[in-house]
Amino acid sequence: LSLSLSAHMASHAASALPSLHKPDEEWRAILSPEQFRILRQKGTEMPGRGKYNKFYEKGTYLCAGCDTPLYKSSAKFDSGCGWPAFFEGLPGTVKQTPDADGQRIEITCAACGGHLGHVFKGEKFPTPTDERHCVNSVSLKFVPDKKKEQISLCTVT
């Protein structure tokens, strides 16, 4: 039995957030070394090499660490930066925190604290928010929208 995306989101909202915060040993056991480096140690993947950089299928992007839905494909755009870019996250799922040096704003998964990348504001991209969420592909998982099945009825005479 598969859950709809809204049911999946509701189950995450209802789950206790402390269970999503784990010691490094547990994260290392469930994440690949590259996912651990980026999500838990705030690393960055090489520009232009991420699998979702030039990827435009319809669906939802989830946190690779905890499966929390973060972005809809309808918010994705080609910024030319070399990483997937979104103009907004799903409500309440992406936390924004100024870096210690005050130069950038880090974005993390609000549920598990996994590092996603950085958000840049005021760059004048033609988007509704004038924000660019520059996200590491390694921090994401993609779930395609289900295609509506058409049922055709044949009448035999």
Side-chain angles (χ1 to χ4, degrees):
L1 187 64
S2 65
L3 291 174
S4 70
L5 181 58
S6 53
H8 181 75
M9 290 174 69
S11 71
H12 273 338
S15 66
L17 289 180
S19 66
L20 297 178
H21 295 279
K22 307 172 192 220
D24 282 352
E25 300 77 42
E26 286 185 43
W27 285 118
R28 283 185 198 279
I30 60 172
L31 299 173
S32 72
E34 182 73 349
Q35 287 174 321
F36 183 83
R37 184 182 73 78
I38 292 172
L39 284 165
R40 307 317 310 170
Q41 297 178 322
K42 303 177 188 274
T44 302
E45 67 189 353
M46 296 295 293
R49 296 194 183 161
K51 71 191 257 183
Y52 299 126
N53 182 37
K54 300 287 184 184
F55 180 86
Y56 293 101
E57 289 186 26
K58 292 184 180 188
T60 304
Y61 293 86
L62 314 179
C63 174
C66 70
D67 290 338
T68 295
L70 300 171
Y71 297 99
K72 290 295 292 172
S73 60
S74 56
K76 191 172 188 294
F77 69 102
D78 185 0
S79 69
C81 70
W83 291 273
F86 302 87
F87 60 81
E88 68 183 353
L90 293 168
T93 64
V94 179
K95 182 179 175 185
Q96 298 186 18
T97 308
D99 279 348
D101 64 8
Q103 299 296 310
R104 299 184 300 176
I105 299 171
E106 179 189 16
I107 49 177
T108 55
C109 173
C112 73
H115 175 75
L116 304 173
H118 290 86
V119 65
F120 301 92
K121 302 178 181 192
E123 295 180 316
K124 310 261 186 266
F125 280 104
T127 63
T129 62
D130 199 19
E131 287 189 359
R132 175 174 56 98
H133 292 223
C134 186
V135 183
N136 292 289
S137 287
V138 172
S139 299
L140 301 171
K141 287 183 189 175
F142 180 76
V143 177
D145 285 346
K146 290 186 179 180
K147 295 181 181 178
K148 295 178 183 176
E149 294 181 27
Q150 294 180 342
I151 300 172
S152 62
L153 300 173
C154 298
T155 305
V156 178
T157 57

